[in-house]
Amino acid sequence: MKILMVFTSHDILGNTGRKTGFWLEEGAAPYYVFRDAGVELTLASPKGGQPPVDPKSDLPENQTPAMARFKQDKSAQNDFATTLKLKDMRSEDFDAVFYPGGHGPMWDLVDNPDSISLIESFYNSGKPVAAVCHAPAVLHRVNYKGAPIVKGKRVTGFANSEEEEVQLTKVVPFLVEDELKRLGGVYEKAPNWQPFAITDGRLITGQNPASSTAGAQALAKLLSDMQSAAGSSGA
């Protein structure tokens, strides 16, 4: 089983002058879900190399077991520091793609032609696409059979109420919840900061940082189920 994880390379939070990037839990937790399941992982980003970590994600109050494990794991740190370039990735080399969030993707992945064509290639070839927190925003220009990929799909992503709580509704280019609804997605959410992930067909979305483990587990399960189905149909 081979999964591609796509990270942001963007480190400036709009016009605030503050730093952003990917949310560390959203990279570390899925990384270990996949690695512990024996998945062959490849990490990529628009610029390649070390993706920026949102400094807020590493504050004392935001520490998680996956982050603690990551900080003791030189091999994992090296994997993150040496991401490949997104433009060089091809869907045929992987079984699925997973996008961690953080605010960074809102600037360099939502309208990225390499990302858009890659997601469409995965989905058109029958492969799953997963994104958590702000990363479902990367779907907003992705089409499937002439319509937005999220149209008619049960989806989730960073809630308006969560963006309000972190006081960034006027900073982000658009609100993830509003955009998913505008595109025809059937948006659902849990209470702020609670784990919540949805699988609808081959599309998996998670609401917030706490949902990154659930989103990754859902993708691993879906891939396992798909492989089992393919195996039984071929028997």
Side-chain angles (χ1 to χ4, degrees):
M1 199 181 295
K2 298 180 179 180
I3 294 178
L4 174 65
M5 293 181 71
V6 179
F7 290 80
T8 181
S9 293
H10 187 85
D11 68 351
I12 301 296
L13 187 62
N15 57 7
T16 65
R18 303 205 300 270
K19 290 290 188 181
T20 191
F22 78 94
W23 200 261
L24 190 51
E25 165 71 358
E26 296 175 40
Y31 176 89
Y32 286 119
V33 168
F34 298 143
R35 207 174 79 175
D36 292 348
V39 171
E40 186 178 328
L41 275 177
T42 298
L43 279 54
S45 62
K47 294 181 180 177
Q50 175 69 57
V53 175
D54 187 322
K56 288 194 73 171
S57 71
D58 203 18
L59 292 175
E61 63 266 28
N62 291 326
Q63 298 302 308
T64 66
M67 288 164 60
R69 180 178 174 186
F70 177 77
K71 290 175 182 180
Q72 300 298 319
D73 187 342
K74 296 298 185 188
S75 174
Q77 292 168 25
N78 182 66
D79 285 347
F80 277 61
T82 55
T83 68
L84 303 176
K85 288 195 173 179
L86 178 60
K87 66 179 177 63
D88 296 329
M89 299 299 101
R90 300 291 178 265
S91 65
E92 52 265 34
D93 297 330
F94 306 98
D95 298 304
V97 63
F98 184 96
Y99 281 73
H103 281 89
M106 297 293 294
W107 282 275
D108 71 341
L109 286 173
V110 293
D111 298 321
N112 184 304
D114 294 321
S115 177
I116 294 165
S117 62
L118 184 69
I119 295 170
E120 290 180 345
S121 179
F122 268 98
Y123 211 72
N124 287 336
S125 57
K127 296 175 179 179
V129 172
V132 296
C133 197
H134 283 86
V138 306
L139 303 172
H140 92 130
R141 293 199 188 281
V142 175
N143 290 313
Y144 178 62
K145 294 185 176 178
I149 191 173
V150 302
K151 187 175 183 180
K153 292 282 189 184
R154 293 176 59 231
V155 289
T156 190
F158 206 59
N160 289 356
S161 54
E162 290 170 323
E163 203 72 85
E164 288 163 10
E165 201 169 312
V166 297
Q167 300 180 333
L168 291 173
T169 55
K170 305 296 187 194
V171 175
V172 290
F174 56 83
L175 297 174
V176 177
E177 176 182 336
D178 284 355
E179 184 66 0
L180 291 172
K181 290 176 178 175
R182 185 187 73 81
L183 294 167
V186 183
Y187 181 85
E188 300 175 24
K189 66 178 180 178
N192 286 6
W193 316 115
Q194 296 303 304
F196 185 59
I198 294 174
T199 302
D200 190 337
R202 289 179 288 109
L203 188 64
I204 296 171
T205 47
Q207 180 177 328
N208 48 33
S211 309
S212 51
T213 294
Q217 289 171 337
L219 179 56
K221 180 182 185 301
L222 178 58
L223 281 173
S224 178
D225 291 348
M226 288 173 69
Q227 289 188 347
S228 295
S232 60
S233 65

